[in-house]
Amino acid sequence: MTDRENGPGADGGDAFVSAFDAAGADYLFCSSGSEWAPVWESLARRHRDGEPAPTYLDLTHETVAVGMATGYGLVRRRPQGVLLHAAPGLLQGSMAVHGALLAGVPMVVASSESTTYGDGPGQDPGGQWYRNLSVVGGPHHVAQPFTKWANEAAHISTLPTMITRAAELSWRAPAGPAYLNVPLEILLEDWDGREAKPVVPPGSTHSSPEEVDPVARMIREAKNPVVVTETAGREAGGFEALVAFAEAWQLPVVEPDSAVCANFPRTHPLHAGSDIGPWMDEADLILLVNCRAPFYPPSRRPSKAKIVVIDQVPQRPHIVYQVLFADVYLEGNVPHTLRQLAKRAKDLDGTAVAVRRSAQEERHAAEQAAVTAAETEAGRTEASGGVDPVLVAATLRGLLAGRDGIVVDETITHSRTVKRHLRTDAPDSYFYVQGGLGQGIAVALGVRLAAPDRPVVLTIGDGAFTYNPVIQSYDAARTYDLPVLIVIFNNRVYKSMNLNHRRFYPDGAAAGTGEWLGTDLHRLPRLAAFAEPFGMHTETVDTTDALAPALERALKAVTEGTTAVVDVLVTR
């Protein structure tokens, strides 16, 4: 620790801001609460006096605050600060915090409570804490199930280093949100100026040669190996390392439907699609690279393949039930492990490599042909009555070509279509929203904040759109100059709910009467109009002929600095 002279009015708010500055947080994403007056006063003093501080974002909904921190963290991969209000604000933002946990995004979430309820010395915290805001056990107990770590800063002397500890814990594998309860009385206490030491990046862990060499031998001896990955691209350098590894050994790479980020170029000849099914009986070696849940149902075991798990933390603590069937674990840093394996791609059996390369070329050609055929058929959709969702994704792909775009996806029934036909091929070019619907706009805004020079597109279903805090998200987009393109796949139904009803009760009463409850969205107005009061560009598309011109106008508006919302009526 270092000491500085206590300035006039220095208190827990100053300690809080100082600690986040030392932690390297670029931003404090705040959904306002009455406990944060000490932090606001510290920021005002620092701005007045030209002292350093994270940039403060004043946001009007908890999901927007957490979601933007998630989007920013997906790209920048270092912990930011999120300020919520007491236990109620924490509960309101809890879905998004859980989503950050699933996405592996580091952040420090803080909210407050009262410890004196007006009966202690010092300033009166206010009667709302006694009557309404407090929960038994404190908000850190509320946060425990959906965070990586949750605790309380119980004294002003430990507040800065507790923030440091939370940031360091959140950043290390498995990365995820840490929560800190900072009582209002602590924020109001005098601070002696003891500052937290700056947070340093995590050190790297390595699999030893004694662990890597046998796996290299297994790959060399395998006749029909395959790589399966869900989140290799989440790690810094993971996308590039996986490409180099696959090319060195000529290994096909499957990204299952559960993949949640860009891991491998979908245009690459070694990309083997999204279906692990054909490999379950054919593969003799399956390499699970950052693949948390490859088999469904979990008991569906490959018939003959040995399974190598390459993952720094393969057994994810937040997953309730996880089955990997591992024969070997390589638990070092994933990009480093892949690079070490790529270096060992020597003395390969030329005949075996040629056979599997030829088989993969056939699979890749078949997939390319299927994609082309699906897009050709989609273009034949009648001019009225909606647009084929395949055509929406394919048109977006064409518009984004060469622009280094980023797609954030919050569709459900169209997610496979989006992945298959957008065909992203670069690191950090695709992210799927985790943990529950209603975060997509905020996550996209956070991505745009982290990547201001890249166009950001949110693909979203009409049901997911209505779960989002739309007004508050649009307010953030306009206030902080974060233009994004929002494309709504609008089929006017909660399709996934309807599909499950039909699947569970194919001959039930609803099938006989047509009374499908819990699914109808026809009663909603068209969704682009909600953006009009914010001065955003809006388009409503009902026909195939109108699609491409509308998307072109929308992307042009985004390029010029205005968020654009395109509501596309889709045929299914």
mmCIF file of all heavy atoms in Angstrom, residues 453-473:
data_model
loop_
_atom_site.group_PDB
_atom_site.id
_atom_site.type_symbol
_atom_site.label_atom_id
_atom_site.label_comp_id
_atom_site.label_asym_id
_atom_site.label_seq_id
_atom_site.Cartn_x
_atom_site.Cartn_y
_atom_site.Cartn_z
ATOM 1 N N ASP A 453 -14.759 1.263 -33.615
ATOM 2 C CA ASP A 453 -14.480 1.374 -35.047
ATOM 3 C C ASP A 453 -15.040 0.208 -35.856
ATOM 4 O O ASP A 453 -14.798 0.132 -37.071
ATOM 5 C CB ASP A 453 -12.966 1.469 -35.263
ATOM 6 C CG ASP A 453 -12.366 2.707 -34.618
ATOM 7 O OD1 ASP A 453 -13.040 3.747 -34.604
ATOM 8 O OD2 ASP A 453 -11.234 2.616 -34.107
ATOM 9 N N ARG A 454 -15.771 -0.696 -35.194
ATOM 10 C CA ARG A 454 -16.336 -1.845 -35.901
ATOM 11 C C ARG A 454 -17.862 -1.779 -35.880
ATOM 12 O O ARG A 454 -18.441 -1.446 -34.839
ATOM 13 C CB ARG A 454 -15.866 -3.152 -35.247
ATOM 14 C CG ARG A 454 -14.368 -3.336 -35.250
ATOM 15 C CD ARG A 454 -13.943 -4.580 -34.479
ATOM 16 N NE ARG A 454 -14.380 -5.807 -35.122
ATOM 17 C CZ ARG A 454 -14.162 -7.028 -34.628
ATOM 18 N NH1 ARG A 454 -13.499 -7.168 -33.481
ATOM 19 N NH2 ARG A 454 -14.595 -8.103 -35.263
ATOM 20 N N PRO A 455 -18.527 -2.056 -36.999
ATOM 21 C CA PRO A 455 -19.994 -2.084 -36.970
ATOM 22 C C PRO A 455 -20.486 -3.248 -36.119
ATOM 23 O O PRO A 455 -19.966 -4.363 -36.214
ATOM 24 C CB PRO A 455 -20.375 -2.263 -38.441
ATOM 25 C CG PRO A 455 -19.181 -2.865 -39.089
ATOM 26 C CD PRO A 455 -17.988 -2.353 -38.339
ATOM 27 N N VAL A 456 -21.480 -2.977 -35.277
ATOM 28 C CA VAL A 456 -22.036 -3.986 -34.380
ATOM 29 C C VAL A 456 -23.491 -4.214 -34.763
ATOM 30 O O VAL A 456 -24.275 -3.266 -34.858
ATOM 31 C CB VAL A 456 -21.927 -3.553 -32.909
ATOM 32 C CG1 VAL A 456 -22.604 -4.575 -31.997
ATOM 33 C CG2 VAL A 456 -20.461 -3.395 -32.518
ATOM 34 N N VAL A 457 -23.844 -5.485 -34.976
ATOM 35 C CA VAL A 457 -25.199 -5.863 -35.356
ATOM 36 C C VAL A 457 -25.775 -6.768 -34.278
ATOM 37 O O VAL A 457 -25.133 -7.749 -33.874
ATOM 38 C CB VAL A 457 -25.213 -6.602 -36.715
ATOM 39 C CG1 VAL A 457 -26.639 -7.020 -37.079
ATOM 40 C CG2 VAL A 457 -24.618 -5.731 -37.810
ATOM 41 N N LEU A 458 -26.973 -6.447 -33.818
ATOM 42 C CA LEU A 458 -27.713 -7.333 -32.912
ATOM 43 C C LEU A 458 -28.801 -8.018 -33.710
ATOM 44 O O LEU A 458 -29.672 -7.365 -34.293
ATOM 45 C CB LEU A 458 -28.335 -6.541 -31.766
ATOM 46 C CG LEU A 458 -29.319 -7.322 -30.880
ATOM 47 C CD1 LEU A 458 -28.588 -8.402 -30.097
ATOM 48 C CD2 LEU A 458 -30.076 -6.391 -29.941
ATOM 49 N N THR A 459 -28.759 -9.355 -33.757
ATOM 50 C CA THR A 459 -29.862 -10.135 -34.321
ATOM 51 C C THR A 459 -30.696 -10.645 -33.160
ATOM 52 O O THR A 459 -30.160 -11.225 -32.215
ATOM 53 C CB THR A 459 -29.331 -11.302 -35.177
ATOM 54 O OG1 THR A 459 -28.387 -12.067 -34.414
ATOM 55 C CG2 THR A 459 -28.637 -10.787 -36.429
ATOM 56 N N ILE A 460 -31.999 -10.443 -33.235
ATOM 57 C CA ILE A 460 -32.846 -10.693 -32.072
ATOM 58 C C ILE A 460 -34.239 -11.085 -32.528
ATOM 59 O O ILE A 460 -34.741 -10.594 -33.544
ATOM 60 C CB ILE A 460 -32.882 -9.432 -31.173
ATOM 61 C CG1 ILE A 460 -33.612 -9.697 -29.854
ATOM 62 C CG2 ILE A 460 -33.469 -8.223 -31.902
ATOM 63 C CD1 ILE A 460 -33.434 -8.576 -28.835
ATOM 64 N N GLY A 461 -34.870 -11.989 -31.790
ATOM 65 C CA GLY A 461 -36.249 -12.360 -32.076
ATOM 66 C C GLY A 461 -37.213 -11.356 -31.479
ATOM 67 O O GLY A 461 -36.869 -10.587 -30.575
ATOM 68 N N ASP A 462 -38.452 -11.380 -31.971
ATOM 69 C CA ASP A 462 -39.432 -10.432 -31.435
ATOM 70 C C ASP A 462 -39.751 -10.720 -29.974
ATOM 71 O O ASP A 462 -39.936 -9.794 -29.173
ATOM 72 C CB ASP A 462 -40.707 -10.423 -32.283
ATOM 73 C CG ASP A 462 -41.294 -11.811 -32.492
ATOM 74 O OD1 ASP A 462 -40.532 -12.792 -32.553
ATOM 75 O OD2 ASP A 462 -42.528 -11.932 -32.627
ATOM 76 N N GLY A 463 -39.769 -11.987 -29.586
ATOM 77 C CA GLY A 463 -40.004 -12.314 -28.187
ATOM 78 C C GLY A 463 -38.870 -11.840 -27.307
ATOM 79 O O GLY A 463 -39.092 -11.230 -26.251
ATOM 80 N N ALA A 464 -37.635 -12.091 -27.725
ATOM 81 C CA ALA A 464 -36.484 -11.631 -26.951
ATOM 82 C C ALA A 464 -36.455 -10.114 -26.879
ATOM 83 O O ALA A 464 -36.109 -9.535 -25.843
ATOM 84 C CB ALA A 464 -35.190 -12.155 -27.578
ATOM 85 N N PHE A 465 -36.810 -9.445 -27.968
ATOM 86 C CA PHE A 465 -36.818 -7.983 -27.978
ATOM 87 C C PHE A 465 -37.734 -7.428 -26.898
ATOM 88 O O PHE A 465 -37.388 -6.484 -26.186
ATOM 89 C CB PHE A 465 -37.255 -7.496 -29.362
ATOM 90 C CG PHE A 465 -37.280 -5.999 -29.511
ATOM 91 C CD1 PHE A 465 -36.151 -5.312 -29.909
ATOM 92 C CD2 PHE A 465 -38.438 -5.284 -29.259
ATOM 93 C CE1 PHE A 465 -36.168 -3.933 -30.043
ATOM 94 C CE2 PHE A 465 -38.473 -3.903 -29.384
ATOM 95 C CZ PHE A 465 -37.327 -3.231 -29.784
ATOM 96 N N THR A 466 -38.899 -8.040 -26.731
ATOM 97 C CA THR A 466 -39.857 -7.519 -25.761
ATOM 98 C C THR A 466 -39.423 -7.789 -24.318
ATOM 99 O O THR A 466 -39.922 -7.152 -23.397
ATOM 100 C CB THR A 466 -41.264 -8.099 -25.985
ATOM 101 O OG1 THR A 466 -41.212 -9.534 -25.888
ATOM 102 C CG2 THR A 466 -41.792 -7.710 -27.353
ATOM 103 N N TYR A 467 -38.500 -8.725 -24.107
ATOM 104 C CA TYR A 467 -37.939 -8.932 -22.776
ATOM 105 C C TYR A 467 -36.925 -7.846 -22.412
ATOM 106 O O TYR A 467 -36.623 -7.638 -21.236
ATOM 107 C CB TYR A 467 -37.244 -10.287 -22.683
ATOM 108 C CG TYR A 467 -38.159 -11.490 -22.599
ATOM 109 C CD1 TYR A 467 -37.942 -12.607 -23.400
ATOM 110 C CD2 TYR A 467 -39.214 -11.523 -21.707
ATOM 111 C CE1 TYR A 467 -38.761 -13.725 -23.320
ATOM 112 C CE2 TYR A 467 -40.036 -12.636 -21.617
ATOM 113 C CZ TYR A 467 -39.807 -13.731 -22.426
ATOM 114 O OH TYR A 467 -40.623 -14.830 -22.340
ATOM 115 N N ASN A 468 -36.338 -7.192 -23.406
ATOM 116 C CA ASN A 468 -35.295 -6.200 -23.156
ATOM 117 C C ASN A 468 -35.858 -4.920 -22.545
ATOM 118 O O ASN A 468 -36.989 -4.529 -22.856
ATOM 119 C CB ASN A 468 -34.592 -5.833 -24.467
ATOM 120 C CG ASN A 468 -33.473 -6.777 -24.839
ATOM 121 O OD1 ASN A 468 -32.301 -6.454 -24.708
ATOM 122 N ND2 ASN A 468 -33.833 -7.968 -25.299
ATOM 123 N N PRO A 469 -35.082 -4.236 -21.687
ATOM 124 C CA PRO A 469 -35.438 -2.874 -21.265
ATOM 125 C C PRO A 469 -35.162 -1.916 -22.428
ATOM 126 O O PRO A 469 -34.117 -1.266 -22.492
ATOM 127 C CB PRO A 469 -34.526 -2.619 -20.061
ATOM 128 C CG PRO A 469 -33.367 -3.518 -20.256
ATOM 129 C CD PRO A 469 -33.872 -4.721 -21.005
ATOM 130 N N VAL A 470 -36.094 -1.859 -23.354
ATOM 131 C CA VAL A 470 -35.861 -1.194 -24.640
ATOM 132 C C VAL A 470 -35.634 0.305 -24.460
ATOM 133 O O VAL A 470 -34.676 0.875 -24.996
ATOM 134 C CB VAL A 470 -37.044 -1.466 -25.596
ATOM 135 C CG1 VAL A 470 -36.886 -0.674 -26.884
ATOM 136 C CG2 VAL A 470 -37.134 -2.966 -25.901
ATOM 137 N N ILE A 471 -36.516 0.972 -23.718
ATOM 138 C CA ILE A 471 -36.394 2.419 -23.555
ATOM 139 C C ILE A 471 -35.050 2.777 -22.930
ATOM 140 O O ILE A 471 -34.335 3.676 -23.391
ATOM 141 C CB ILE A 471 -37.564 2.954 -22.707
ATOM 142 C CG1 ILE A 471 -38.875 2.811 -23.476
ATOM 143 C CG2 ILE A 471 -37.330 4.404 -22.301
ATOM 144 C CD1 ILE A 471 -40.107 3.147 -22.660
ATOM 145 N N GLN A 472 -34.685 2.069 -21.865
ATOM 146 C CA GLN A 472 -33.437 2.372 -21.169
ATOM 147 C C GLN A 472 -32.227 2.068 -22.052
ATOM 148 O O GLN A 472 -31.205 2.768 -21.985
ATOM 149 C CB GLN A 472 -33.366 1.577 -19.874
ATOM 150 C CG GLN A 472 -34.477 1.916 -18.882
ATOM 151 C CD GLN A 472 -35.711 1.018 -19.037
ATOM 152 O OE1 GLN A 472 -35.976 0.484 -20.123
ATOM 153 N NE2 GLN A 472 -36.446 0.838 -17.950
ATOM 154 N N SER A 473 -32.316 1.025 -22.876
ATOM 155 C CA SER A 473 -31.218 0.697 -23.785
ATOM 156 C C SER A 473 -31.071 1.757 -24.867
ATOM 157 O O SER A 473 -29.947 2.177 -25.201
ATOM 158 C CB SER A 473 -31.458 -0.678 -24.420
ATOM 159 O OG SER A 473 -31.504 -1.694 -23.445
#
